Amino acid sequence: MEKQGEERKRAFDGLPVFAKELIAGGVAGGFAKTGVAPLERVKILFQTRQAEFCSLGLLGSFTKVGKTEGVLGFYRGNGASVARIVPYAALHFMAYEEYRRWIIHYNPNIGRGPVLDLIAGSFAGGTAVLFTYPLDLVRTKLAFQVIDSPKLNVKGLVFPSEQVYKGVLDCFSKTYKEAGIRGLYRGVAPTLYGIFPYSGLKFYFYEEMKRRVPEKHKKDITVKLACGSVAGLLGQTFTYPLDVIRRQMQVQRVSASNGAEVKGTIDTLLMIAQRHGWKHLFSGLSLNYIKVVPSVAIGFTVYDVMKSYLRVPSRDEAVIEAVVTNNRHSQASSLHS
């Protein structure tokens, strides 16, 4: 068994560093997202179906989904979620490492402190979002659907009980037919507003806390989990209202309770404040804390473990290797010319 494990590790040795980081990030994202899928489903219902679920509370909402949809109901939209998070996390972690190397390469005198992680993390988050946002939109629309008997809302209107979208491909197709590419990127603005500070702060706090851990405990998985938990918690607190705005914008065309279509981030912000009050911008935050702690902790921990398994060199070693390789290419080019 040990020989097989070593052979598998050696099979990855020929891959470039960025490819190993893509694999490590994708695996980390898949583990983290699947682990918190039930909490994510209920959180989305909190954010987008104020009248139906917020009054029930956390346990009541779990009970309602369990009774009406069964265990699989907690994973509604999770296929799209995992399909999104694997490439998203892969791009996110890989882009972070690449941006960090590029910044150091072009600015050799820059410090290796948390500010570097803040900048690299912010741009990595924005890059990953732009490439994978349509999958997040589809996941939200699927999770928004509730299979239940018709319910009356506060205005006496009936919520439709039939499924608008029958699956990931059906949702993609209908969304594209309704509004084209713009429809697939509805709500991307507040997502980018939020992901830049959130992603940057997440990496900032995680790397800064790891630096303060004694050398003998740096490889301790419990320590990594603790650092990841606190990093996600602090980063999410500052950016959560933008997440609520994004979800509302994503489900505008599905929600029967919305009147005229709301356009833009500011209009959506004002609509939420007028209809539900400013407190709704933090609706589901306590549940999000419960979700973020294991999600970010698992993500960072699995990523570090996978990097070790794939024999990814340390960040400083990778930077030195990249600089040496670039110098060799430059010398070769000058010789040929």
Side-chain angles (χ1 to χ4, degrees):
M1 292 295 289
E2 291 182 7
K3 289 183 178 180
Q4 289 180 350
E6 282 300 315
E7 288 177 1
R8 288 173 185 171
K9 289 182 181 180
R10 287 171 185 169
F12 290 107
D13 287 346
L15 294 175
V17 172
F18 80 88
K20 294 180 181 180
E21 290 164 352
L22 279 171
I23 294 171
V27 172
F31 268 93
K33 184 58 69 175
T34 301
V36 298
L39 288 167
E40 180 71 12
R41 173 80 202 284
V42 175
K43 187 198 77 168
I44 290 175
L45 293 173
F46 262 51
Q47 290 177 330
T48 57
R49 288 180 176 269
Q50 170 83 356
E52 290 179 86
F53 284 89
C54 283
S55 59
L56 295 176
L58 178 59
L59 293 178
S61 296
F62 268 100
T63 302
K64 179 182 175 67
V65 173
K67 284 183 177 179
T68 57
E69 303 180 45
V71 175
L72 293 179
F74 291 109
Y75 292 87
R76 184 173 300 282
N78 191 53
S81 183
V82 171
R84 178 195 72 93
I85 202 62
V86 168
Y88 173 83
L91 283 169
H92 195 178
F93 282 107
M94 186 275 290
Y96 162 73
E97 304 284 6
E98 288 296 319
Y99 281 129
R100 195 175 185 279
R101 285 194 282 268
W102 291 345
I103 293 170
I104 293 174
H105 177 67
Y106 291 106
N107 300 276
N109 297 323
I110 193 170
R112 304 295 197 273
V115 174
L116 174 62
D117 297 310
L118 179 68
I119 297 171
S122 297
F123 281 101
T127 300
V129 163
L130 287 175
F131 278 96
T132 62
Y133 184 80
L135 286 167
D136 182 53
L137 177 80
V138 169
R139 185 278 306 264
T140 300
K141 287 190 172 188
L142 290 173
F144 176 74
Q145 294 183 143
V146 176
I147 301 175
D148 199 359
S149 57
K151 297 286 185 180
L152 293 178
N153 67 7
V154 292
K155 295 182 179 180
L157 298 176
V158 177
F159 284 114
S161 59
E162 70 274 6
Q163 288 181 272
V164 179
Y165 304 113
K166 297 177 181 178
V168 175
L169 293 179
D170 183 54
C171 188
F172 260 114
S173 177
K174 289 181 178 177
T175 302
Y176 182 77
K177 287 179 181 178
E178 287 174 358
I181 295 296
R182 290 184 63 181
L184 291 173
Y185 277 87
R186 183 174 300 280
V188 72
T191 303
L192 289 173
Y193 300 155
I195 199 63
F196 269 93
Y198 173 63
S199 181
L201 288 170
K202 188 172 65 174
F203 279 102
Y204 174 97
F205 289 126
Y206 181 67
E207 296 298 334
E208 177 62 13
M209 283 186 289
K210 280 207 307 182
R211 288 188 186 96
R212 298 179 181 276
V213 174
E215 194 64 35
K216 63 180 180 179
H217 294 301
K218 283 189 180 294
K219 294 185 178 180
D220 191 331
I221 289 181
T222 305
V223 172
K224 293 180 185 292
L225 286 168
C227 292
S229 299
V230 177
L233 203 66
L234 293 175
Q236 187 70 197
T237 300
F238 294 110
T239 59
Y240 187 78
L242 288 166
D243 188 45
V244 177
I245 294 171
R246 170 170 64 109
R247 298 299 184 196
Q248 289 284 356
M249 292 179 71
Q250 287 176 337
V251 301
Q252 283 176 37
R253 288 181 178 272
V254 183
S255 178
S257 61
N258 282 352
E261 183 179 340
V262 180
K263 297 180 180 180
T265 305
I266 301 300
D267 287 339
T268 305
L269 170 67
L270 295 175
M271 180 272 290
I272 293 172
Q274 290 172 357
R275 293 188 179 184
H276 308 297
W278 293 102
K279 287 185 178 180
H280 187 58
L281 290 172
F282 293 90
S283 177
L285 180 57
S286 59
L287 181 62
N288 210 51
Y289 281 150
I290 298 172
K291 186 205 76 166
V292 163
V293 168
S295 178
V296 177
I298 292 170
F300 274 124
T301 302
V302 173
Y303 178 65
D304 281 347
V305 170
M306 285 298 298
K307 282 207 304 179
S308 176
Y309 177 80
L310 296 173
R311 296 175 178 175
V312 177
S314 68
R315 293 193 174 103
D316 290 335
E317 289 175 352
V319 169
I320 293 171
E321 182 181 325
V323 171
V324 171
T325 302
N326 288 337
N327 289 338
R328 286 175 181 170
H329 285 315
S330 298
Q331 292 173 1
S333 298
S334 60
L335 288 174
H336 286 300
S337 60

